[in-house]
């Protein structure tokens, strides 16, 4: 079975886009969907059917935009380069696109979609420009693709569609588990008779510090040491590994106590409000006001979720000219609604079970993503 190497211009009509004058009301609010690269940013899946803005016939005539027939392939060519979609209804684009109307006797639009997705990095490297990178119509027209016969194109597209479906299912499971815990937490807040307590009444607030950076013997020991930047990269409920460690001497040099397992990490600056639960004894830098809860009064997992749900409130309590920060006094004074401890523990058990399931789902999603990426690469090389 022979595969051809062809330029896109040989199997597609390449079409640019345009924008009518935004200050002319008669150009807008009509029947012609009009898409921008921003409209594809959060697009789930392959197809686009609706757009936030629409052109009138007068608006379309006023500019160089062209109505693309259904089943064209839209490629954002700037800001950013590489978003791809297939339109299900006729629509126009702004100047941020180089779109393709395939010759369907030679090229299947879904195969072209997946070829563009698989070659996003290569397409981005073709962008030129000082202010922002853009692919010109001349450049994209000359891009060469590997083209199998139509039946093989459709077979490849079908395989990649199935892989994407598996990926969406895995993503949905992760989101569903997160939403389930949020709903369970909101249920704990529903009673009007919840006790109001200060954090200082239910937990000890502990700060952190940093050993001198130039003293080698203070670092690379056995004690995990965490910063807010580390926590921002970690979406796990329980934190057991850190990017850096300090030695016993390093811990003594900063005068900090180790946070025990079950303590709740709370970043108090740059940024405020990141949270995690300590899984192994660890120390923090000065960007934390961590909480060691009284286990007879408050459950660590409940406290974690309360802080997470109230991050916006915590951020507003930060003060400072150079950067906002939560002081120890402010953290201690924060009030929260507290259900009976058994209700907290029941919620904690549910949340921890859901977290274990979420981690399994995340691992599964990573495997599906690797499979999808591999299939895409192999398909475009003709190895499927």
């Amino acid at each position: 079975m022979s595969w051809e190497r062809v330029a896109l211009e040989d199997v597609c009509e390449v079409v640019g886009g345009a924008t009518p004058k935004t200050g002319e009301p008669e150009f807008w609010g009509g029947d012609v969907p009009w898409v921008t690269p921003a409209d594809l940013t959060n697009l789930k899946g392959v197809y686009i059917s609706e757009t936030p803005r629409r052109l009138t016939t007068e608006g379309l005539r006023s500019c160089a935009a062209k109505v693309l027939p259904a089943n064209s392939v839209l490629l954002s060519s700037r800001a950013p380069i590489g978003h791809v979609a297939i339109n299900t209804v006729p629509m126009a684009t702004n100047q941020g696109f180089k779109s393709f109307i395939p010759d369907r006797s030679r090229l299947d639009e879904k195969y072209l979609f997946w070829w563009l997705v698989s070659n996003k990095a290569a397409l981005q490297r073709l962008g030129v420009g000082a202010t922002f990178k853009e692919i010109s119509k001349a450049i994209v027209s000359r891009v060469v693709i590997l083209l199998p016969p139509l039946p093989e194109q459709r077979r490849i597209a079908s395989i990649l569609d199935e892989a994407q479906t598996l990926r969406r299912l895995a993503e949905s499971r992760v989101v569903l588990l997160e939403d389930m815990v949020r709903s369970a937490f909101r249920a704990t807040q529903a009673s009007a008779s919840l006790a109001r307590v200060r954090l200082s009444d239910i937990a000890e607030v502990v700060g952190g510090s940093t050993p001198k950076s130039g003293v080698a013997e203070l670092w690379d020991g056995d004690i995990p040491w965490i910063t807010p930047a580390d926590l921002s990269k970690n979406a796990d409920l329980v934190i057991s590994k850190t990017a850096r460690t300090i030695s016993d001497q390093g811990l003594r040099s900063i005068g900090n106590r180790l946070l025990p397992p079950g303590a709740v990490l709370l970043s108090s600056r740059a940024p405020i409000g990141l949270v995690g639960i300590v899984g192994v004894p660890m120390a923090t830098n000065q960007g934390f006001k961590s909480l060691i809860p009284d286990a007879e009064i408050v459950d660590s997992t409940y406290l974690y979720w309360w802080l997470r749900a109230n991050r916006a409130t915590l951020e507003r309590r930060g003060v400072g000219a150079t950067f906002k920060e939560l002081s120890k006094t402010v953290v201690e004074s924060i009030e929260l609604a507290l259900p009976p401890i058994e209700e907290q523990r029941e919620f904690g058990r549910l949340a921890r079970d859901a977290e274990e399931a979420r981690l399994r789902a995340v691992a599964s999603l990573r495997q599906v993503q690797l499979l999808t990426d591999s299939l895409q690469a192999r398909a475009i090389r003709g190895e499927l």
Side-chain angles (χ1 to χ4, degrees), residues 93 106 120 181 199 206 247 258 271 274 280-281:
T93 77
R106 301 186 64 191
K120 181 177 180 178
V181 178
L199 281 176
V206 180
S247 64
L258 281 178
L274 299 176
V280 297

Side-chain angles (χ1 to χ4, degrees), residues 58-336:
E58 291 79 7
L60 190 64
R61 289 198 195 104
S62 75
C63 66
K66 174 178 178 176
V67 175
L68 299 162
N71 298 313
S72 298
V73 181
L74 285 56
L75 170 70
S76 64
S77 54
R78 69 179 188 187
I81 294 170
H83 288 329
V84 192
I86 296 175
N87 58 317
T88 62
V89 296
M91 63 178 57
T93 77
N94 80 347
Q95 60 275 19
F97 285 89
K98 301 299 180 289
S99 301
F100 307 96
I101 304 173
D103 175 353
R104 288 181 178 80
S105 68
R106 301 186 64 191
L107 175 62
D108 179 79
E109 67 272 7
K110 188 69 77 63
Y111 176 81
L112 177 58
F113 170 91
W114 285 116
W115 190 94
L116 294 169
V117 168
S118 301
N119 287 275
K120 181 177 180 178
L123 292 168
Q124 290 174 334
R125 289 193 293 271
L126 296 176
V128 295
T131 306
F132 52 80
K133 300 295 184 183
E134 180 173 13
I135 308 176
S136 70
K137 182 177 179 180
I139 288 175
V140 80
S141 296
R142 293 193 295 269
V143 167
V144 174
I145 68 171
L146 196 59
L147 199 64
L150 271 173
E152 181 65 6
Q153 293 179 42
R154 292 171 183 141
R155 186 184 75 87
I156 290 169
S158 177
I159 291 171
L160 296 179
D161 283 346
E162 290 178 13
Q164 187 190 59
T165 298
L166 288 174
R167 180 172 177 169
R168 297 298 180 206
L169 288 172
E171 289 172 343
S172 297
R173 179 167 173 76
V174 173
V175 172
L176 180 64
L177 288 164
E178 291 173 345
D179 288 346
M180 182 182 73
V181 178
R182 290 191 187 94
S183 297
F185 176 78
R186 285 194 293 269
T188 69
Q189 306 295 292
S191 173
S193 60
L194 296 179
R196 300 289 300 182
V197 299
R198 291 189 173 195
L199 281 176
S200 59
D201 297 329
I202 61 171
E204 180 183 358
V205 180
V206 180
S209 190
T210 303
K212 289 183 179 179
S213 58
V215 183
E217 59 266 26
L218 304 182
W219 295 92
D220 300 327
D222 297 324
I223 300 169
W225 179 82
I226 192 168
T227 73
D230 299 326
L231 195 57
S232 69
K233 301 171 186 175
N234 195 324
D236 294 343
L237 174 70
V238 178
I239 310 299
S240 298
K241 294 183 180 180
T242 59
R244 300 199 68 181
T245 59
I246 59 175
S247 64
D248 290 333
Q249 187 177 344
L251 184 67
R252 289 193 297 272
S253 77
I254 57 179
N256 283 8
R257 61 182 293 185
L258 281 178
L259 295 173
V264 180
L265 298 161
L266 170 63
S267 67
S268 53
R269 67 179 183 186
I272 291 172
L274 299 176
V275 287
I277 296 177
V278 174
V280 297
M282 67 177 57
T284 76
N285 81 343
Q286 58 274 21
F288 288 92
K289 299 295 183 296
S290 301
L291 306 162
I292 303 176
D294 182 338
E296 298 301 314
I297 303 173
V298 63
D299 179 80
S300 294
T301 307
Y302 174 83
L303 181 56
Y304 165 94
W305 275 97
W306 190 92
L307 293 167
R308 182 169 166 173
N310 288 274
R311 182 174 179 180
T313 301
L314 296 170
E315 289 175 328
R316 288 194 294 270
R317 298 291 295 273
V319 296
T322 306
F323 53 80
K324 300 296 184 182
E325 182 172 13
L326 288 172
S327 69
K328 180 179 179 182
T329 300
V330 167
V331 173
E332 290 175 333
S333 70
I334 291 170
E335 289 190 348
L336 70 157

